[in-house]
Amino acid sequence: MIDTDYNGESFFVRHCYFTGGNDPYAKLRRALRAEIDESAWEALYRTESLPFPPPATGRIAVKVINDYGDEVVKVIAV
């Protein structure tokens, strides 16, 4: 997950990507009980973010959560 304009107080998910498993969306599809356009799913299955404008705050934050629920946040000044 990426907060593309991190304010230093709260993490706001502006981009979210899923990279695990053969079908990382199977559980999400079942939970949503909905069919989602395949191209939309594919846009989220990546390890490189889509482009975004420079943040007004001068910082972005990247949060990674693994399969066990462990998470880490890295703040980057740009």
Side-chain angles (χ1 to χ4, degrees):
M1 294 176 272
I2 304 173
D3 183 341
T4 59
D5 198 18
Y6 184 62
N7 66 7
E9 294 180 13
S10 56
F11 187 94
F12 183 78
V13 178
R14 298 169 200 271
H15 288 221
C16 190
Y17 303 99
F18 303 88
T19 60
N22 294 332
D23 188 1
Y25 310 111
K27 289 181 183 177
L28 186 56
R29 282 185 187 132
R30 283 193 299 273
L32 294 176
R33 295 183 185 157
E35 287 299 316
I36 307 297
D37 179 16
E38 279 300 315
S39 64
W41 286 121
E42 289 174 10
L44 301 175
Y45 187 68
R46 55 184 36 223
T47 57
E48 185 175 310
S49 78
L50 295 171
F52 54 88
T57 61
R59 293 179 291 191
I60 64 170
V62 178
K63 180 184 282 192
V64 177
I65 303 174
N66 69 13
D67 294 338
Y68 302 107
D70 303 322
E71 64 182 65
V72 64
V73 176
K74 171 84 176 185
V75 178
I76 303 165
V78 293

